[in-house]
Amino acid sequence: MNKIRTAVIGVGYLGQFHAEKYAGLPNVELVGVVDPDRSRAEQIAQKLATHFFTDASQLLGKVDAVSIVAPTVLHHGLAKQFLEAGVHVLLEKPVTVTLEQADELISLAERKRVILQVGHIERFNPAITVIKPLLKAPRYVQAERSAPFTVRCTDVNVVLDLMIHDLDIVADVAGSKPNKVSAVGTSVITREIDSVIARIVFENGCIADVAASRVSDEKKRVIRIFDGDTLYTADYQSQKAFVSRRGAGTVPELVTSEIPSERRDTLLDEVRSFIDCIANRKPPLVGGIEGRNALALARLITHCIEQGTTDFVPFS
């Protein structure tokens, strides 16, 4: 079987890890890496024994698939260029800047019959994958994601930087379309929103409270799912999952136990899944539509905050 020819466009902090994963897969050939910073591209290429480029268009005709790990503002133009050429694309989150751009990429991928996968990596976290099959009908979800401030990813607000991971997860867990949204947030260090809390009401009655901050004194990645008389907790950092239920005694108490799971390299699983979808012509776990849905929620939450709207706003 011929190896799938891949490349990574953008080899900054995250992109270098995409390249490393491709380089380590037996059924993949890492054709090269691209970065406008020539020295950076050359450094990563030398480390992984591949070629380097400073212009993504130099890859056309040489690759079957690419990871695009560039600033969000470049996503649409780069992805469109490769999808039009019949190249499969793994596009980091958020999928695009606008919903119209996302719709165009989704339509283009369908027309060209190629894979468009969006990099919502938490879908591959064992803390959530071990819980999802156990869920029956969740009615309330709490998600919290916080981190100390860094200068990385400040080209977008915290909703698009951090919260969007949880927006994708809660929508998947709820198993329903969002109905309405309310949110409050503020900027602290950057000109963008740095801290936010949002409430999402889904059409089936499930409610999700989602909080994110990139100006916290601690790093936290937790989601709690209330499903009937059962509480499931996933800690994305430790990749551990827990189940809690009322104890059998006469005194009310919550009895918690860990759900067995195996720690995994979630980025490697994401990249492997992308390659598997290409090789076996399968739809991705997180495709363009799922990426668009998370972006739509993120944009509405941002709109609520920017407009100072405290009432619920209908989702459309």
Side-chain angles (χ1 to χ4, degrees):
M1 176 176 162
N2 293 331
K3 290 187 175 184
I4 295 173
R5 300 171 302 166
T6 65
V8 177
I9 302 170
V11 285
Y13 175 78
L14 181 57
Q16 66 178 322
F17 299 126
H18 275 253
E20 288 175 2
K21 305 312 175 189
Y22 285 127
L25 293 176
N27 58 335
V28 168
E29 176 191 354
L30 180 63
V31 171
V33 296
V34 182
D35 202 281
D37 182 339
R38 180 186 176 93
S39 63
R40 176 65 176 178
E42 190 171 8
Q43 174 193 357
I44 300 300
Q46 184 175 11
K47 177 182 176 182
L48 299 176
T50 190
H51 302 285
F52 73 91
F53 306 88
T54 55
D55 185 344
S57 64
Q58 294 174 284
L59 291 172
L60 294 172
K62 300 176 182 178
V63 293
D64 306 305
V66 294
S67 274
I68 297 176
V69 200
T72 307
V73 70
L74 301 177
H75 282 190
H76 174 258
L78 287 169
K80 182 179 180 180
Q81 182 180 23
F82 283 90
L83 292 173
E84 283 181 333
V87 175
H88 306 281
V89 172
L90 170 52
L91 186 58
E92 264 303 333
K93 61 81 192 169
V95 57
T96 49
V97 174
T98 71
L99 297 178
E100 292 77 15
Q101 290 174 339
D103 289 336
E104 184 180 3
L105 296 185
I106 292 166
S107 177
L108 183 55
E110 290 176 350
R111 191 165 70 251
K112 292 292 184 176
R113 298 180 182 273
V114 290
I115 302 297
L116 172 60
Q117 180 172 322
V118 183
H120 284 281
I121 195 170
E122 297 293 29
R123 289 282 197 109
F124 297 88
N125 195 305
I128 196 69
T129 59
V130 75
I131 286 175
K132 191 178 175 185
L134 305 176
L135 300 177
K136 296 176 181 177
R139 282 296 173 264
Y140 181 54
V141 182
Q142 292 177 329
E144 182 181 355
R145 187 172 294 260
S146 59
F149 180 76
T150 67
V151 294
R152 191 168 55 86
C153 291
T154 53
D155 61 318
V156 294
N157 64 35
V158 72
V159 184
L160 292 166
D161 178 16
L162 297 182
M163 180 179 274
I164 198 165
H165 283 296
D166 296 307
L167 298 179
D168 172 61
I169 293 291
V170 298
D172 183 51
V173 165
S176 178
K177 293 182 179 179
N179 184 30
K180 53 187 179 179
V181 169
S182 67
V184 292
T186 187
S187 62
V188 179
I189 296 179
T190 74
R191 294 181 180 179
E192 300 282 355
I193 301 164
D194 293 320
S195 187
V196 59
I197 183 167
R199 170 162 284 197
I200 306 161
V201 179
F202 292 89
E203 290 180 354
N204 64 359
C206 182
I207 296 174
D209 286 330
V210 188
S213 174
R214 58 186 179 193
V215 288
S216 174
D217 57 358
E218 63 175 339
K219 187 175 182 179
K220 195 172 186 179
R221 307 276 193 276
V222 176
I223 187 169
R224 301 177 183 88
I225 305 167
F226 296 80
D227 188 10
D229 61 355
T230 305
L231 166 61
Y232 295 100
T233 302
D235 185 325
Y236 294 111
Q237 287 189 99
S238 66
Q239 296 191 356
K240 291 183 178 181
F242 304 89
V243 57
S244 304
R245 295 186 178 92
R246 181 185 171 115
T250 56
V251 178
E253 63 173 341
L254 201 61
V255 178
T256 300
S257 59
E258 185 173 344
I259 304 172
S261 64
E262 179 183 350
R263 189 169 182 85
R264 302 185 63 85
D265 182 335
T266 51
L267 180 57
L268 179 59
D269 284 353
E270 180 181 68
V271 169
R272 275 179 173 161
S273 179
F274 177 53
I275 296 299
D276 182 54
C277 288
I278 295 169
N280 296 293
R281 307 303 300 175
K282 301 191 306 184
L285 180 63
V286 188
I289 293 175
E290 289 79 13
R292 183 208 187 274
N293 291 344
L295 176 62
L297 267 175
R299 285 179 60 82
L300 183 55
I301 289 167
T302 299
H303 174 77
C304 289
I305 297 167
E306 290 176 345
Q307 297 300 313
T309 305
T310 55
D311 295 330
F312 278 102
V313 175
F315 181 85
S316 60

